[in-house]
Amino acid sequence: MSGREERLLLVSKILKGEIGKKDVENELERISKQYGDECFNSYEVKKQPKPWTNNSLKELEVLSASGAASKEFYLYMAEVSEEVYSQKYKKKKLFRGVLFGVLAITVLIFIVCILRGNS
């Protein structure tokens, strides 16, 4: 595998939320040792203000495909990805909590109706 292929694989993992910032740091160090720092280019990262969204991540994907390949860029992409996937996880957790609450209330009402019917 080449340094470019390693970078593409890293970007894929970042975009899917499979790898966090610490792991990206380790991967960048490993890639640097294996292929040298010249496999990365210089790219000035222009950070967007928070909150970051899925659109922010998509913009970074486009920049990556356009040649942004600095270590700083990948670390920033990982930071944005962690934030986006953390928000998605919180929303799913909240939805599950609300769903469980509605289900519990429905079961309680059903039980009360059955008990009143038997009285």
Side-chain angles (χ1 to χ4, degrees):
M1 196 178 295
S2 70
R4 183 176 189 283
E5 291 169 326
E6 292 274 6
R7 290 192 328 259
L8 290 173
L9 181 60
L10 180 63
V11 167
S12 175
K13 289 179 181 178
I14 293 170
L15 292 173
K16 293 176 185 174
E18 296 174 353
I19 187 169
K21 190 172 179 181
K22 283 289 183 196
D23 292 328
V24 169
E25 288 173 352
N26 293 335
E27 281 295 301
L28 291 172
E29 188 173 324
R30 182 188 64 76
I31 293 169
S32 286
K33 284 180 182 175
Q34 189 169 352
Y35 301 102
D37 282 334
E38 56 274 354
C39 84
F40 300 100
N41 63 26
S42 62
Y43 179 81
E44 186 178 333
V45 177
K46 295 175 184 144
K47 295 186 176 186
Q48 298 175 351
K50 288 184 179 184
W52 294 317
T53 64
N54 208 38
N55 286 337
S56 306
L57 200 53
K58 287 180 182 179
E59 288 175 19
L60 293 175
E61 180 180 16
V62 170
L63 289 173
S64 173
S66 300
S70 69
K71 291 180 181 181
E72 295 78 21
F73 176 78
Y74 293 127
L75 290 171
Y76 173 61
M77 181 185 270
E79 189 178 345
V80 172
S81 178
E82 281 183 344
E83 176 82 16
V84 169
Y85 281 95
S86 172
Q87 290 171 9
K88 287 181 181 181
Y89 175 74
K90 287 177 185 175
K91 286 178 184 177
K92 283 182 182 179
K93 192 174 177 180
L94 177 65
F95 176 75
R96 288 180 184 151
V98 169
L99 187 63
F100 179 75
V102 168
L103 182 61
I105 290 171
T106 304
V107 168
L108 285 174
I109 291 171
F110 182 71
I111 291 172
V112 167
C113 288
I114 288 175
L115 291 176
R116 283 189 179 168
N118 288 338
S119 304

